[in-house]
Every structure is written in structure tokens, then in C-alpha cells.
């Protein structure tokens, strides 16, 4: 395996050098060999030939990322604006959704397996929710789609993998291709594949994501169309955890040979949809010029828009074996196999009208008023199926049977308000209220006030929001072979939040303090001490939580450092099951070698304090509270080297290099050990043609 890895790196280096070398070889000006012509050229002939070659010479254009601009739907809500493509090395080594420095995750041990946030991050949305979010971070949604304005075709290939020992532990491939078929019409294709085999037995995942997207803008700049087709097929094995409860002290020779509680079970989530958004600018259009015509920012004075979204979600749990090791507390329909499935179809229509009042000068926008009003209609149909060991009416065995089937509708009113007093004061409001339907009474009221004091003084953002949500479907009416939650008395959950955020770009400081008051907090818990008889629960008393975060970046010549610190304290810490302190630190040295190789050499560390670990409920993808077990925590240290060579980014890192020094391993979820130390590498190629 070391020889294979060396050969791989050598091949990649040759490809990069070869690409550069061929780019420096000009095209031959002639197709024939003039040296072997029958007549010897005189001085006049040579002069004429030189002039002709000079006149016919074509300019050489070297395409780079400056020919590509990018945006997304959120940035296009108020105006038409695009931004340069980011091809830097920042956060390049943190390719896994589980290892994002500012949003760490608890998980079952490997990329692609069920996860939940380690920090308190309540979802800010209203409307119908199934409640199955364990695999959300591995999926793409219309809001994640990026739209491009490409003057030249652009392709980016990324590959990440382990090396030595267990090279298949983490394997991720990503592809982006975009090009304009016309100056004002772009198509983009995304493809992601995760085929990680994990670190322990039965952690082999199979995730596929694909997006076909288009952005059309009329020549008059008034009409825009955003469209995308999104496909997600995410499959993860359900092992019920390894049987060895002392894996870090009494491990087998090969972790991949450790026995597990389930050997033939998995969950499969699919999320496919068609999304189409159209908006048209009425009245006067203002333009803020940027570098190049394609960088112009178009500011409308009135806008009408319509969005239609057709989405199908399918959740499936399959178990092809008896429950020998009591992973489940009970079964209701079949004691040998499970085929639990839930299908949800959603058709959404959204209409909105916006108008803007501003002065004639747009060198910087001030005294501007924006108002958006709209209406959203959602139609939902869901069906749930199980496999019954013996149907009473037909006496057939192991037949699929529908146990739930219902349709719902929601009508939501939307309004957004913004008033920019000047370039230093801005007030924003966002109001969403469900007025008819299944989620009647749900609301989200959000307000922010931004106060800027100049480059040195920084800016302050004061925020507050109130949210009221109906319990997700899995909390109220959910029927499966091992879990039946039917007509529970789980009520609405209310969240009230106030925040203070200070940002200073010059000093590279970001400080934020948040206070949460949660009434009717919804969670899952065992009904017996240390049990696995999971059921939805709701707190009777209010839950208070204080969350303080601080981010700071430093630069001392070629040495750089960054740190992100979070403190979160609640009066129900063991119910939330989150650490009190989390910290991420990164120190690196940057240097340009050979005038072409921009290199960063550094080390990062992640740390969180000890907390009561949650358990995981197989089959429904929910984390729940059971035994009051906490695990010793130590820093996870990872040295790395990353570099940019022409159009290629590369990194190599040794994740969890300190394993065995302070501890032999660690947990974030009860019974599921986290990854052991492993050498990893990643490559990102960009092509412009």
C-alpha cells in the first residue's frame, strides 16, 4: 500500500507538471516542413514569411478563475449580484461535513453515518417537518445550488481519501462543471459521491448527489430564471454499535473485524425535486458598476416573483435478520425482518411582490426602504408502510401493508422589511406566519439592527427572533416495526432568542452572545433507566441557555493563527447533552516556494469538555437520552501540509496524530467509537477551456 500511495502522488505531480508544460508550448505555425522544400529561400522570401507569420499570429489567452463569477438564490433575492470564484486553500483540508470548525458534529464514527450538531443550533423554519435529519448534511437542496456566470467553461474535480492501513476509510469525490451556452444563459452540473468504508465493521456508506441547474437572464436585465433538478440517494448501514464496549483498551488486531449487533440492516433516505423560480424587475433599474461588465450589480425598484417546487422524500429502514442482541426494545409487526418506509410528496407555490424606495445616487445606497410581501402554499401527502408477518384478512406472510396515509395543506404569509438609514445603519425584519392548515399557528418573527462605526471601530448587529413550531411528524404520528408513536400529546415548541454580535474585519474579531428561552423543548428519551424503549418527550418547564462564541484570526508575518471558542450553558445540560465548552485552533506557516508553489504548513486542534453522551435509536435515525454516561475528552490534533500549484490544490494531513498519547480513543455518542488516527490526502483540479 505505501508503494501504491507513492505511485499515486508521483502520477498526480506528473499530470500537473505535464499540463503546465503543454500550456507553454505554442502551436506550430505551419503544417508542412519548409526545410525540405525544393527551392532555397532568399532574403526577400524569408522577410515575407516572417511578416506573414507575425500578421497571422493569434493572441494567447490564459483563462483563470477571474472569468468565472458565482452567486446563489439568497444573494439574488434583493438584486442581481455575482462574486469571484473562491479557489483558495482556506478550510480545504476540512472536507467532511462532520469536521467543519464552526459547526462540529456528534456522529456514529465516519463520514456518511447519522449525525447531529454538537452546538445548540435550533432550526429556523416553519411548516411541515418529518423530523428525520440524521443524514441532512450529506444532501443537496435547492438553497445549496450555486449559479455561475462563466465566460469560459469551468470544471472542478475533487478527490479525498485515506492512505496507508485503511485507505478506504474516507473516500469522497466531487465534480462541478459549468458553462454559458449564451452570454446570458448558464448551465451547471454537480455530482458528489461518498463511498467511505469507515473505521470499524459495517460503516460502509453509499451517498450520491447530483444537480442540474440553469440561470437565464434576459438581455434587458429585467427577467431572471433559476431552475434545478436535485437528486439525493443516501444509504448508511445500521450496525447497532460494536459489541466490544472497551474497544480502546481491549481491541482486536483489526478494528474492521470487530463484531456488531446488526449485520444486515441499513437506512436509505432519498430526496429528489424540481425547482423553478422566475422573477421580473418592474420600473426603474439602478446599476452599480464593478470590475468588468459581468460584475455589475443590478438594483430593481419593483420585483414580482413566482416559485414552484415539486419534491419527493423517501425514508426507508431495512432489517434482514432477527434482533439477537436486543438492539430494539420491542417489535409490533414482524419479529424477523423490517421494511419500514415513509414517502412524502410536497408541491409548493410561492408568490411575492417587492418594491424599493431609494434616492437617485447609488454610489452607496442610503435612505433605502425595501418591502417584500408574499404568500406560500404547500400541499403535502404522506404514506407509511410496514411488512406484516401475518395479515389477518388474507393470511399472507411478510406482506407490505400501508399503515398511514394523509394529505395536508399549509398557507403561509411572508413579509420582509428593510430600512437602510445610511451606509452605517440598517434595520431588517423577516416575518412568516402559517394562517391555514396543518401547521396553523406556526410563526417566525426575526429582526436585526446593524450599526457600523467605520473600518477601525467595526460593526454591531443586534438580533432577536421568536419562533413557534408544531412538533415534527416523527414526534406525533409515526408507525414502524419497532416504534409506534401514535397521537402523542407533544405540543408546540417556542423559541425566543436575543443576540449581540460584534464584528471587526480589520482586527479579524467576531464576538457573539446569545440567549435562548425555549418553552416545550422536544426530544427523545428512554422510558426506563438505561433502556432503549425510546419515546418522544417534552419539557414542562422553560429551558434557558446562554451561548457565547468568539472568533479571532492573527497574522505575524508568514505565521497565521485562528481560534474559535464557544461556551454554552443551560439549566438542562443533561437534557440537551451538549458540551459546555468547544474550541477549535489552527496555526500555520505560509510561504511561496519556487515562485509557483504556495504552501501552508500547520496544525489544528479540536477540543470539547466532557458531557453526558446521547444514545442512537436504530431505524428512526434519532438521538435520545438514556444512560447518564460521559466520556473523558482530549484534544484531537491534526498536522497538515496544503499547497496550490498552478490550478491544483493539494493537502496531506495526519488526523488524530496524538492518539495513544493522552487517550487511546474517544466517543461523541454512547457505544459508537470515533475514528482512529489516519493519514489522509485531497486533490482539487480546476480546468478552464
Amino acid at each position: 500500500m505505501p508503494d501504491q500511495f507513492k505511485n499515486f502522488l508521483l502520477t498526480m505531480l506528473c499530470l500537473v507538471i505535464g499540463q503546465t508544460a503543454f500550456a507553454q508550448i505554442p502551436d506550430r505555425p505551419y503544417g508542412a516542413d519548409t526545410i525540405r522544400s525544393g527551392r532555397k529561400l532568399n532574403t526577400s522570401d524569408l522577410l515575407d514569411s516572417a511578416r506573414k507569420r507575425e500578421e497571422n499570429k493569434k493572441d494567447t489567452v490564459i483563462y483563470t478563475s477571474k472569468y468565472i463569477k458565482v452567486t446563489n438564490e439568497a444573494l439574488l433575492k434583493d438584486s442581481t449580484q455575482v462574486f469571484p470564484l473562491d479557489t483558495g486553500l482556506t478550510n480545504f483540508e476540512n472536507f467532511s461535513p462532520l469536521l467543519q470548525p464552526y459547526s462540529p458534529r456528534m456522529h456514529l464514527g465516519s463520514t456518511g453515518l447519522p449525525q447531529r450538531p454538537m452546538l445548540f443550533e435550533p432550526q429556523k423554519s416553519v411548516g411541515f417537518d418529518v423530523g428525520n435529519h440524521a443524514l441532512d448534511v450529506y444532501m443537496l437542496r435547492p438553497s445549496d445550488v450555486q449559479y455561475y456566470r462563466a465566460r469560459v467553461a469551468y470544471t472542478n474535480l475533487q478527490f479525498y481519501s485515506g492512505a496507508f492501513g485503511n485507505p478506504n476509510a474516507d473516500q469522497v469525490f466531487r465534480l462541478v462543471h459549468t458553462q454559458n451556452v449564451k452570454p446570458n444563459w448558464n448551465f451547471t452540473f454537480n455530482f458528489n459521491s461518498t463511498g467511505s468504508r469507515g473505521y470499524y465493521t459495517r460503516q460502509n456508506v453509499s451517498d450520491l448527489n447530483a444537480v442540474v441547474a440553469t440561470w437565464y437572464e434576459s438581455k434587458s436585465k429585467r427577467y431572471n430564471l433559476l431552475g434545478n433538478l436535485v437528486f439525493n440517494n443516501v444509504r448508511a448501514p445500521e450496525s447497532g454499535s460494536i459489541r466490544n464496549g472497551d474497544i480502546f483498551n481491549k481491541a482486536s488486531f483489526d478494528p474492521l473485524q470487530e463484531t456488531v449487533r446488526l449485520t444486515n440492516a441499513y437506512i436509505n433516505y432519498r430526496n429528489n425535486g424540481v425547482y423553478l423560480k422566475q422573477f421580473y424587475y418592474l420600473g426603474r433599474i439602478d446599476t452599480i458598476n464593478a470590475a468588468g461588465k459581468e460584475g455589475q450589480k443590478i438594483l430593481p425598484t419593483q420585483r414580482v416573483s413566482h416559485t414552484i417546487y415539486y419534491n419527493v422524500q423517501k425514508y426507508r429502514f431495512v432489517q434482514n435478520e432477527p434482533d439477537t442482541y436486543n438492539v430494539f426494545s420491542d417489535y409490533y409487526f414482524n419479529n424477523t425482518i423490517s421494511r419500514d418506509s415513509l414517502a412524502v410528496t410536497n408541491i409548493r407555490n410561492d408568490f411575492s411582490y417587492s418594491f424599493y424606495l431609494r434616492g437617485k445616487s447609488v454610489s452607496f445606497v442610503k435612505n433605502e426602504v425595501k418591502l417584500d410581501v408574499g404568500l406560500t402554499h404547500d400541499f403535502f401527502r404522506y404514506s407509511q408502510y410496514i411488512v406484516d408477518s401475518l395479515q389477518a384478512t388474507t393470511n399472507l406472510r411478510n406482506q407490505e401493508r400501508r399503515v398511514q396515509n394523509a394529505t395536508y395543506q399549509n398557507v403561509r404569509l411572508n413579509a420582509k422589511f428593510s430600512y437602510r438609514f445610511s451606509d452605517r445603519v440598517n434595520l431588517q425584519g423577516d416575518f412568516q406566519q402559517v394562517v391555514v392548515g396543518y401547521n396553523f399557528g406556526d410563526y417566525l418573527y426575526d429582526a436585526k439592527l446593524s450599526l457600523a462605526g467605520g473600518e477601525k471601530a467595526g460593526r454591531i448587529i443586534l438580533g432577536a427572533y421568536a419562533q413557534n413550531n408544531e412538533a415534527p411528524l416523527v414526534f406525533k404520528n409515526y408507525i414502524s416495526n419497532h416504534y409506534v408513536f401514535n397521537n402523542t400529546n407533544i405540543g408546540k415548541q417556542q423559541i425566543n432568542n436575543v443576540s449581540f454580535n460584534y464584528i471587526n474585519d480589520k482586527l479579524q474579531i467576531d464576538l457573539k452572545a446569545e440567549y435562548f428561552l425555549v418553552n416545550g423543548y422536544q426530544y427523545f428519551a428512554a422510558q426506563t433507566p438505561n433502556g432503549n424503549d425510546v419515546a418522544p418527550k417534552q419539557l414542562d418547564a422553560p429551558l434557558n441557555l446562554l451561548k457565547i462564541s468568539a472568533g479571532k484570526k492573527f497574522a505575524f508575518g508568514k505565521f497565521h493563527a485562528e481560534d474559535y471558542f464557544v461556551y454554552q450553558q443551560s439549566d438542562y445540560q443533561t437534557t440537551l447533552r451538549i458540551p459546555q465548552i468547544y474550541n477549535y485552533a489552527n496555526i500555520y506557516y505560509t510561504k511561496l516556494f519556487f515562485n509557483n508553489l504556495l504552501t501552508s504548513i500547520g496544525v489544528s486542534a479540536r477540543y470539547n469538555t466532557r458531557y453526558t453522551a446521547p444514545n442512537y435509536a436504530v431505524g428512526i435515525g434519532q438521538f435520545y437520552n438514556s444512560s447518564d454516561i460521559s466520556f473523558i475528552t482530549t484534544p484531537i490534533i491534526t498536522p497538515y501540509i496544503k499547497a496550490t500549484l498552478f490550478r491544483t490544490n493539494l493537502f496531506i494531513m495526519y488526523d488524530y496524530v496524538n492518539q495513544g498519547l493522552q487517550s487511546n480513543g474517544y466517543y461523541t455518542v454512547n457505544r459508537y467509537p470515533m475514528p482512529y488516527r489516519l493519514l489522509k490526502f485531497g486533490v482539487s483540479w480546476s480546468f478552464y477551456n
Side-chain angles (χ1 to χ4, degrees):
M1 186 55 63
D3 293 336
Q4 294 178 357
F5 181 68
K6 291 179 181 178
N7 292 337
F8 177 84
L9 290 181
L10 182 60
T11 303
M12 293 301 101
L13 185 60
C14 291
L15 285 174
V16 173
I17 296 174
Q19 177 186 358
T20 308
F22 280 111
Q24 295 175 346
I25 299 176
D27 294 334
R28 291 178 61 89
Y30 304 103
D33 187 354
T34 56
I35 297 177
R36 297 185 180 182
S37 59
R39 184 176 63 90
K40 184 177 180 180
L41 299 178
N42 56 34
T43 304
S44 179
D45 292 333
L46 291 173
L47 183 60
D48 290 341
S49 178
R51 286 175 177 171
K52 185 176 182 181
R53 181 165 46 185
E54 184 69 24
E55 291 172 357
N56 293 336
K57 184 188 298 182
K58 295 182 179 179
D59 294 334
T60 301
V61 179
I62 300 176
Y63 295 112
T64 63
S65 60
K66 71 179 182 179
Y67 290 87
I68 311 298
K69 304 297 180 182
V70 64
T71 189
N72 57 43
E73 184 188 345
L75 296 171
L76 294 173
K77 284 186 176 179
D78 292 329
S79 58
T80 303
Q81 52 184 331
V82 293
F83 297 89
L85 184 68
D86 183 10
T87 59
L89 291 171
T90 302
N91 207 37
F92 177 46
E93 70 277 14
N94 296 314
F95 62 92
S96 172
L98 305 176
L99 300 178
Q100 296 308 302
Y102 295 92
S103 184
R105 302 277 156 170
M106 305 175 189
H107 55 94
L108 303 191
S110 181
T111 302
L113 296 179
Q115 54 72 45
R116 57 162 276 192
M118 181 175 286
L119 306 179
F120 187 69
E121 301 173 356
Q123 186 175 347
K124 288 178 67 174
S125 63
V126 295
F128 183 82
D129 181 18
V130 173
N132 292 341
H133 301 293
L135 301 179
D136 278 6
V137 296
Y138 310 115
M139 295 188 182
L140 293 175
R141 286 177 168 78
S143 57
D144 302 320
V145 175
Q146 292 187 326
Y147 300 93
Y148 295 84
R149 186 175 286 168
R151 293 170 58 191
V152 60
Y154 166 71
T155 303
N156 178 257
L157 302 175
Q158 299 178 25
F159 179 70
Y160 308 94
S161 179
F164 303 120
N166 188 8
N168 299 323
D170 269 321
Q171 284 198 341
V172 178
F173 173 76
R174 295 168 184 159
L175 162 69
V176 177
H177 177 77
T178 184
Q179 66 181 84
N180 275 46
V181 294
K182 291 185 177 181
N184 57 334
W185 194 1
N186 176 271
F187 280 89
T188 300
F189 174 70
N190 296 75
F191 177 78
N192 299 338
S193 174
T194 300
S196 303
R197 292 297 173 262
Y199 299 78
Y200 299 92
T201 309
R202 299 214 68 241
Q203 291 188 339
N204 50 310
V205 302
S206 177
D207 297 350
L208 294 176
N209 318 110
V211 173
V212 179
T214 185
W215 177 21
Y216 173 80
E217 182 182 39
S218 66
K219 294 182 179 179
S220 64
K221 308 293 185 182
R222 290 186 177 275
Y223 173 76
N224 282 264
L225 181 145
L226 304 177
N228 59 69
L229 304 174
V230 180
F231 307 92
N232 294 280
N233 188 352
V234 180
R235 175 170 165 164
E238 292 277 37
S239 68
S241 78
I242 61 174
R243 294 180 59 201
N244 186 353
D246 196 16
I247 182 70
F248 298 124
N249 296 316
K250 299 177 181 179
S252 62
F253 180 76
D254 184 2
L256 292 173
Q257 301 303 318
E258 289 284 348
T259 58
V260 293
R261 290 178 167 83
L262 291 175
T263 60
N264 196 352
Y266 65 88
I267 53 174
N268 183 205
Y269 291 0
R270 296 188 179 189
N271 192 328
N272 304 325
V274 180
Y275 184 87
L276 188 66
K277 184 182 185 71
Q278 303 176 80
F279 49 94
Y280 186 81
Y281 297 155
L282 303 171
R284 188 180 88 243
I285 294 179
D286 298 321
T287 303
I288 297 180
N289 291 321
K293 184 178 179 181
E294 67 279 356
Q296 289 181 338
K297 183 175 181 179
I298 309 299
L299 302 174
T301 52
Q302 296 183 73
R303 187 176 95 156
V304 291
S305 68
H306 171 252
T307 303
I308 184 169
Y309 180 40
Y310 176 79
N311 174 241
V312 177
Q313 303 175 52
K314 294 183 179 180
Y315 306 89
R316 193 171 184 229
F317 169 66
V318 175
Q319 174 196 352
N320 293 316
E321 59 186 317
D323 183 17
T324 305
Y325 299 103
N326 298 320
V327 173
F328 307 100
S329 63
D330 204 349
Y331 64 89
Y332 293 91
F333 304 99
N334 200 310
N335 66 345
T336 306
I337 64 173
S338 295
R339 298 285 190 278
D340 304 329
S341 64
L342 171 66
V344 181
T345 300
N346 173 218
I347 301 176
R348 172 175 297 175
N349 276 279
D350 180 272
F351 304 88
S352 68
Y353 169 75
S354 311
F355 74 85
Y356 311 76
L357 297 177
R358 69 174 72 92
K360 294 184 178 180
S361 174
V362 292
S363 56
F364 65 88
V365 179
K366 64 178 181 178
N367 291 327
E368 180 190 55
V369 177
K370 301 179 184 178
L371 179 63
D372 301 339
V373 292
L375 180 145
T376 302
H377 175 265
D378 279 297
F379 170 82
F380 294 95
R381 181 181 68 235
Y382 81 88
S383 301
Q384 198 161 15
Y385 297 84
I386 55 91
V387 168
D388 207 341
S389 59
L390 179 64
Q391 292 192 10
T393 56
T394 62
N395 289 327
L396 295 177
R397 296 183 179 275
N398 297 331
Q399 297 297 304
E400 186 176 71
R401 179 161 66 91
R402 188 171 67 184
V403 290
Q404 287 202 94
N405 185 44
T407 59
Y408 297 114
Q409 297 189 57
N410 281 332
V411 176
R412 188 179 75 225
L413 299 181
N414 310 306
K416 289 187 178 181
F417 171 81
S418 174
Y419 182 30
R420 187 187 296 270
F421 297 89
S422 66
D423 59 334
R424 297 192 175 186
V425 182
N426 186 18
L427 175 64
Q428 297 179 345
D430 184 4
F431 309 96
Q432 302 176 40
Q433 176 84 51
V434 179
V435 294
V436 175
Y438 176 83
N439 293 89
F440 173 73
D442 285 14
Y443 60 78
L444 174 61
Y445 307 146
D446 193 359
K448 291 182 180 179
L449 175 62
S450 300
L451 305 171
E455 182 181 3
K456 293 183 178 180
R459 64 186 185 274
I460 293 174
I461 302 175
L462 303 176
Y465 75 84
Q467 182 177 352
N468 188 45
N469 284 90
E470 186 73 33
L473 181 67
V474 70
F475 281 82
K476 299 189 68 176
N477 287 287
Y478 197 89
I479 300 176
S480 65
N481 188 32
H482 299 291
Y483 307 96
V484 174
F485 312 133
N486 202 357
N487 297 318
T488 64
N489 58 354
I490 304 297
K492 290 181 180 288
Q493 175 178 279
Q494 297 177 345
I495 300 177
N496 297 285
N497 167 275
V498 292
S499 63
F500 171 88
N501 191 194
Y502 173 71
I503 302 173
N504 191 308
D505 295 326
K506 184 177 179 63
L507 299 178
Q508 295 187 301
I509 293 177
D510 189 339
L511 305 174
K512 189 172 186 178
E514 296 180 90
Y515 170 72
F516 294 89
L517 173 62
V518 184
N519 291 297
Y521 177 70
Q522 302 159 354
Y523 64 105
F524 282 90
Q527 301 179 73
T528 58
N530 303 323
N532 59 354
D533 48 345
V534 182
K537 300 288 184 180
Q538 188 166 32
L539 272 182
D540 295 328
L543 182 151
N544 299 274
L545 183 136
L546 176 66
K547 181 179 179 182
I548 299 174
S549 59
K552 169 64 178 172
K553 295 181 179 180
F554 306 87
F556 306 97
K558 296 180 180 180
F559 287 92
H560 303 265
E562 61 176 319
D563 189 87
Y564 181 64
F565 173 87
V566 178
Y567 172 82
Q568 45 189 11
Q569 179 62 50
S570 171
D571 47 358
Y572 285 92
Q573 203 79 8
T574 56
T575 301
L576 292 175
R577 307 216 165 189
I578 54 177
Q580 188 178 56
I581 292 175
Y582 164 79
N583 191 72
Y584 170 81
N586 184 23
I587 302 173
Y588 58 98
Y589 173 79
T590 300
K591 183 177 176 59
L592 182 65
F593 293 96
F594 313 115
N595 294 323
N596 283 314
L597 189 64
L598 180 62
T599 306
S600 293
I601 304 173
V603 58
S604 65
R606 306 186 305 274
Y607 174 75
N608 59 266
T609 53
R610 192 167 182 167
Y611 63 94
T612 306
N615 288 51
Y616 174 73
V618 173
I620 55 173
Q622 303 295 329
F623 293 84
Y624 69 97
N625 299 346
S626 182
S627 52
D628 294 331
I629 295 178
S630 61
F631 299 97
I632 297 175
T633 59
T634 57
I636 309 302
I637 300 174
T638 302
Y640 63 85
I641 300 175
K642 55 184 178 180
T644 296
L645 181 62
F646 304 109
R647 298 175 180 177
T648 304
N649 293 343
L650 313 98
F651 81 80
I652 185 169
M653 67 179 184
Y654 202 166
D655 197 13
Y656 194 17
V657 68
N658 58 315
Q659 183 184 19
L661 298 179
Q662 296 172 297
S663 68
N664 293 327
Y666 68 105
Y667 291 85
T668 61
V669 178
N670 188 24
R671 296 181 175 176
Y672 289 87
M674 293 295 99
Y676 46 77
R677 60 187 175 192
L678 184 67
L679 189 70
K680 302 177 182 178
F681 70 92
V683 184
S684 174
W685 296 275
S686 292
F687 304 92
Y688 309 90
N689 48 31

